[in-house]
Amino acid sequence: MSVHGSAVIAFVSSGRCGTRWLAHGLRTLYRGVDVEHEPIGPLYRPRRYFRSFDDPEAILEVPEVARHLERIARSSRPYIETGWPLFAALPLFAARFGDRLQVVHLTRHPVPSALSHLARRTYAGSPRSDAYTRWATLGPEDPRVYQASYASCWDRLTPYEKCLYWWTEVHLFGLELPGRIGRIPLLRVSAEDLLAGNREVLTTLLEFMALPWRDRWLELVGQRVDRWHQLSGDVVDPLEVHRHPTTVDVAQRLGYELAGLNVGALEARYLGQQHPALDEAGHYV
């Protein structure tokens, strides 16, 4: 297998876009590669260390991050991490791993992304109030966010709009990265193409990671890996996305159209009564 000897491949995404499915496929089909989804979960603490380009080593104050990076550095095997909280550590990854690092910016349409996060209550200030919402999902009062002006109206936003804010911040970061990490290779792909089994896009991603094509990828298409399928009981208007011009602009820059949204299909997929055995984080209790 032709794989870069000690490549470190980091995914940037806002989550709910197939990262667990990708990790499962990579672990299943490539034995010579170390693949992890969220090895330290929200401990990257994006709400504190987002866009720390001027002081990338600051995140090493978190002992779990320091130990995790040391483990990656010691390994002689290629390493791939797909989970979304990783984005906070990318300035440090770029400083530490240099030419070993490759970045994949994984995108998904903002509206289903936000609705999916809404169903899980994954946004800053959520009543879910766990480590992910306290430490990881960005809000307008967090350091170095792009849209700090939202602080003055945050309490008037719907939870759905707060999820759109979070999506926008992460993908603004993904768009900014090429100008910040210099010659480090970056590939941008859409989750919609990957999850639909678009062979050309899958092949492009695998070639970027120096991994050979496996026909078994086509068998994995449509296979549910994340079994926590949740619904939101909120009253939501998906078209509220049009109230947020920065979100609209970022969506268009990433190739997503916001005109002609199928509101009925979105409501059928994401809105409704939650299963009574699911807790707020989407785990069966």
Side-chain angles (χ1 to χ4, degrees):
M1 180 171 61
S2 173
V3 182
H4 298 312
S6 57
V8 176
I9 301 168
F11 278 68
V12 177
S13 80
S14 58
R16 310 307 300 152
C17 55
T19 54
R20 193 183 298 273
W21 175 84
L22 271 170
H24 169 71
L26 291 165
R27 277 195 298 264
T28 301
L29 301 179
Y30 305 98
R31 293 185 178 180
V33 180
D34 293 330
V35 182
E36 295 183 299
H37 177 243
E38 291 182 11
I40 61 172
L43 293 175
Y44 285 116
R45 297 183 182 237
R47 297 191 69 180
R48 178 183 298 176
Y49 299 106
F50 184 46
R51 299 180 69 223
S52 293
F53 291 106
D54 294 335
D55 187 12
E57 305 252 329
I59 197 171
L60 293 174
E61 297 168 345
V62 182
E64 294 86 354
V65 174
R67 288 195 293 270
H68 180 52
L69 241 74
E70 181 61 27
R71 179 170 64 86
I72 297 171
R74 286 199 310 265
S75 177
S76 60
R77 290 158 57 92
Y79 177 77
I80 302 173
E81 188 170 329
T82 66
W84 64 261
L86 164 67
F87 70 86
L90 268 177
L92 178 61
F93 271 54
R96 283 290 179 93
F97 298 123
D99 292 343
R100 295 174 56 189
L101 181 64
Q102 297 168 245
V103 177
V104 179
H105 180 192
L106 182 62
T107 70
R108 186 189 179 195
H109 194 290
V111 173
S113 293
L115 290 171
S116 186
H117 277 300
L118 176 64
R120 287 176 168 247
R121 301 291 183 193
T122 313
Y123 56 89
S126 164
R128 177 175 139 186
S129 190
D130 60 15
Y132 281 89
T133 57
R134 290 196 305 271
W135 297 343
T137 49
L138 298 169
E141 295 185 351
D142 297 330
R144 297 172 299 278
V145 293
Y146 301 95
Q147 303 172 96
S149 61
Y150 271 76
S152 62
C153 63
W154 189 251
D155 291 342
R156 297 193 298 276
L157 297 183
T158 64
Y160 166 63
E161 290 175 294
K162 292 176 181 180
C163 293
L164 288 171
Y165 173 94
W166 150 236
W167 179 94
T168 306
E169 287 290 319
V170 174
H171 292 292
L172 280 168
F173 179 69
L175 289 166
E176 178 188 24
L177 266 179
R180 288 285 201 157
I181 57 176
R183 293 174 294 178
I184 292 172
L186 184 144
L187 175 69
R188 186 169 293 123
V189 294
S190 81
E192 289 87 352
D193 285 333
L194 293 181
L195 295 172
N198 183 315
R199 179 161 178 167
E200 181 180 353
V201 173
L202 268 168
T203 300
T204 298
L205 174 61
L206 293 170
E207 288 177 349
F208 181 76
M209 297 188 291
L211 294 169
W213 170 258
R214 298 275 193 260
D215 286 337
R216 284 188 61 197
W217 275 109
L218 301 179
E219 298 173 18
L220 295 175
V221 172
Q223 185 178 118
R224 184 180 291 277
V225 174
D226 185 349
R227 64 193 181 97
W228 312 119
H229 174 53
Q230 295 131 283
L231 301 174
S232 172
D234 293 49
V235 176
V236 178
D237 178 7
L239 298 181
E240 283 181 332
V241 66
H242 293 289
R243 296 175 53 188
H244 303 279
T246 303
T247 302
V248 173
D249 176 65
V250 172
Q252 291 173 343
R253 291 169 67 185
L254 295 176
Y256 293 109
E257 291 295 330
L258 294 174
L261 287 171
N262 188 333
V263 173
L266 290 165
E267 290 175 343
R269 170 63 179 80
Y270 294 105
L271 306 180
Q273 280 300 115
Q274 185 62 279
H275 191 288
L278 282 173
D279 66 14
E280 284 186 331
H283 302 111
Y284 283 97
V285 295

